[in-house]
Amino acid sequence: MTEIWAYSEKPSLLAELIGGAHLLAEKVNGTVAAVVLGQKDLAEKAAALGAAKVFWLGEKNENNLVEDYIPTIGQLLKTNKPTLLLIGATQRGKAAAGRLAAQLHTSAVTDVKDIVVDGNNLLFQHMIFGGGAVRMEQAKTEVTIATVGSGIFQTPEKSTAPGKIVDVPFVEPAWKIKFVEKREKKSSAVNLAAAKRVVCPGRGVSKREDLVLIDELAHLLEAEIGCTRPLAEGLDWYPRERYIGVSGATIKPELYFGVGVSGQVQHMIGATDSQIIVAVNKDKNAAIFRQADYGVIGDLYTFLPALISALKARK
Amino acid sequence: MRIVTCFKFVPDAKDIEVKGDGSISLEKAEWIISDFDLQCVEAGVKLAEATAGKTMALSAGPQRINNSKLKKDILSRGPDELYLVVDERLSANDTHVTAVVLANAIQKIGQVDLVICGEGSSDLYFQQVGLQVGELLGWSVVNAVGKVEATGSKIIVERNLEDEVEVLEVPLPAVISVTIDINTPRLPSMKEILKAGQKPVTEWNLPDLALVDIEPGVSVISMKSPRQVDRKKIMIEAKPDDAAAALIGYLSKEGIV
């Protein structure tokens, strides 16, 4: 019996992966199972979404890190040998994928953008060269592990046939990392993947204070704010979950509005499914103009105030 | 502290050729040190400086990486020694094969306290090798490390997760993969470039590591240029007020405003 499993420490992403597992299971005549760490209602929710079996690792013990449960998941995989384990492509998810792959002597395919069923084979699409090319890969091992980010699959409807919850005993890890402390990043739990409109500042914005222009434009357009990678990593103007690109968020809005974005392929690949792309850049040769529906050649510092007051005048 | 910094030589992305059928070719590409591995090597060199230790750079790949210009390039960035595992069978390896080869090489190097990998390779970017190496060695392993400090038999790391930074105490020996914002790699000085040619280089092949049977678990079906969406490419170049009015005109036709 072909089994497709889903695991993520992030409940919203787990729900999407269960949706993806359903799609694949239908095509291969298989069943769906979920692996859940946390309170019992999370396991119940996964069962309600139609996972036939929910392997419940229990509530996380305060002294344990999420990573301390990886040996337990490894034991489950060795015993049950699912055809495919989908893992949410967060940093924790990638850590789990790599370690589990090594335990099973297999390779994990990460940041999968699409999974194609070809007869008895599963084919995985993965971007390479920072989005410069798309590679299709076929897994040849008994168990395959793939990480999938948010926005690729959709949360399924509640099932009429909820699955059963199986308690899984904890496997003590061979080594433990000691947790010292954590610092929250300021985060608004944004879901860019679901945003209808996205305003995206890039390196053309020279100072952090100037982001008020972006805030105002986003407010007037009723848009979420995404950003390019350097604004989230390095400059730290935005949390990482806001950066769009091959290793960040994939968006599918009706409007993508790039401000001072050069249009590097690593970034644009995350926005390629936008219905309309607008770009503002003072460099008329910027790569983004070749991928835009409407391109404004001009200085964002003079153009944005003009656009903002024109939009205000219409309200 | 004895530190191994793993790095990869990769085809330069700007030399990708797109053929008529949309497939891509890397045949003419120049090979370079993978972008994110410069931070990895720098992190190792800095930590070795702070602990009066030693940095050994390690890579694995086909014959092509056994190139004196590439070898000098990596050594000019600060490592004390270079280890290369060179074998033609490593030209189509997946992350697991790479991890097995590196883990075996690390054991053969011996008495290693810390292994540092980059956040992912600039060609394939699977972000997996460091994690797999750690698991294969049975050592503690952490990814997404944005800061590392040595304190005796442990390291303290800051792990950059999506919505929080975790501070962790990691027992040695350990494997960490570091993010690109961990440091700004130094540019090699003329002195370092001249010194690079004199540093020891050790070359092994797969039999030297007692590896015979290496079969990738993933096979590549195709490599293609990404799908391009046709865009209108309407350009507006006017005074700010006129440009704003023009853009609003278009967006209102699209039903956006």
Side-chain angles (χ1 to χ4, degrees), chain B residues 4 28 33 45 53 97 131 133 141 183 207 245 257:
Chain B
V4 169
K28 292 187 186 152
I33 303 170
V45 171
V97 169
L131 293 151
V133 167
V141 53
N183 56 45
V257 294

Side-chain angles (χ1 to χ4, degrees), chain A residues 197 220-221 311 314, chain B residues 247-249 251-257:
Chain A
R197 295 161 179 202
L220 287 164
L221 290 172
L311 284 169
R314 291 172 60 90
Chain B
L247 180 63
I248 289 174
L251 291 183
S252 118
K253 264 189 220 150
E254 299 274 6
I256 301 277
V257 294

Side-chain angles (χ1 to χ4, degrees), chain A residues 10-269:
Chain A
K10 227 178 126 182
S12 63
L13 190 47
L14 175 65
E16 291 179 32
L17 297 186
I18 292 174
H22 276 307
L23 279 182
L24 295 167
E26 259 169 48
K27 292 184 192 157
V28 297
N29 196 20
T31 57
V32 174
V35 179
V36 175
L37 171 64
Q39 291 181 338
K40 187 142 194 189
D41 64 330
L42 288 176
E44 282 161 358
K45 208 180 145 207
L49 292 175
K53 251 187 286 180
V54 177
F55 294 101
W56 184 41
L57 310 185
E59 283 183 33
K60 190 173 85 68
N61 178 316
E62 232 179 80
N63 301 317
N64 285 341
L65 289 171
V66 173
E67 280 70 20
D68 291 334
Y69 292 83
I70 292 174
T72 306
I73 302 173
Q75 190 57 51
L76 269 180
L77 292 175
K78 283 179 197 156
T79 314
N80 294 279
K81 300 212 162 49
T83 303
L84 174 64
L85 168 62
L86 299 173
I87 298 183
T90 57
Q91 294 290 5
R92 288 195 196 283
K94 284 173 189 167
R99 293 182 51 197
L100 292 169
Q103 286 177 22
L104 293 164
H105 300 288
T106 180
S107 227
V109 195
T110 57
D111 289 316
V112 168
K113 298 295 176 200
D114 194 15
I115 303 174
V116 179
V117 178
D118 173 32
N120 287 326
N121 298 319
L122 290 172
L123 305 182
F124 299 88
Q125 195 191 80
H126 169 88
M127 308 301 299
I128 59 172
F129 290 103
V134 180
R135 198 161 96 152
M136 270 306 220
E137 295 169 11
Q138 182 188 334
K140 298 189 294 188
T141 44
E142 190 179 14
V143 178
T144 301
I145 296 171
T147 74
V148 181
S150 176
I152 306 287
F153 295 123
Q154 284 174 357
T155 302
E157 300 285 319
K158 277 226 164 83
S159 168
T160 46
K164 70 167 200 263
I165 296 174
V166 183
D167 289 1
V168 180
F170 182 65
V171 176
E172 196 64 42
W175 48 266
K176 271 189 166 183
I177 284 169
K178 194 173 146 205
F179 173 78
V180 180
E181 59 168 346
K182 72 173 174 188
R183 296 196 298 267
E184 298 292 332
K185 287 190 185 174
K186 49 179 182 341
S187 150
S188 49
V190 63
N191 186 2
L192 280 181
K196 284 257 185 281
R197 295 161 179 202
V198 175
V199 171
C200 178
R203 284 300 275 120
V205 179
S206 47
K207 295 193 305 293
R208 187 172 196 157
E209 301 87 270
D210 303 337
L211 296 176
V212 291
L213 286 171
I214 302 296
D215 292 344
E216 197 161 5
L217 177 64
H219 175 71
L220 287 164
L221 290 172
E222 294 167 35
E224 277 289 354
I225 297 175
C227 65
T228 59
R229 189 170 181 177
L231 270 56
E233 282 179 6
L235 288 176
D236 280 334
W237 289 354
Y238 292 105
R240 279 173 188 232
E241 66 203 25
R242 284 202 190 257
Y243 86 74
I244 297 162
V246 69
S247 54
T250 304
I251 59 169
K252 299 172 181 171
E254 58 177 31
L255 173 71
Y256 164 97
F257 197 123
V259 180
V261 173
S262 64
Q264 278 185 347
V265 65
Q266 290 93 322
H267 169 69
M268 293 311 293
I269 205 73

Side-chain angles (χ1 to χ4, degrees), chain B residues 130-235:
Chain B
L131 293 151
Q132 293 193 33
V133 167
E135 193 71 17
L136 291 169
L137 290 167
W139 296 359
S140 35
V141 53
V142 195
N143 64 337
V145 170
K147 195 175 171 190
V148 56
E149 267 170 39
T151 55
S153 63
K154 294 182 291 256
I155 50 171
I156 307 284
V157 304
E158 288 190 10
R159 186 179 190 213
N160 284 332
L161 299 172
E162 286 76 11
D163 43 15
E164 65 192 28
V165 175
E166 258 181 0
V167 182
L168 304 169
E169 193 179 290
V170 183
L172 296 176
V175 180
I176 58 173
S177 27
V178 296
T179 59
I180 56 167
D181 46 3
I182 192 167
N183 56 45
T184 308
R186 65 192 86 178
L187 288 171
S189 64
M190 187 47 74
K191 196 175 147 212
E192 286 290 345
I193 293 169
L194 291 173
K195 233 167 75 181
Q198 266 90 58
K199 290 180 178 175
V201 178
T202 307
E203 285 161 22
W204 289 324
N205 56 23
L206 292 180
D208 292 334
L209 299 177
L211 287 169
V212 219
D213 192 18
I214 54 141
E215 189 60 33
V218 170
S219 56
V220 177
I221 306 293
S222 65
M223 283 198 289
K224 287 195 173 133
S225 178
R227 175 179 59 89
Q228 294 289 335
V229 180
D230 275 337
R231 295 287 173 189
K232 298 195 181 83
K233 295 187 196 135
I234 294 173
M235 301 300 288

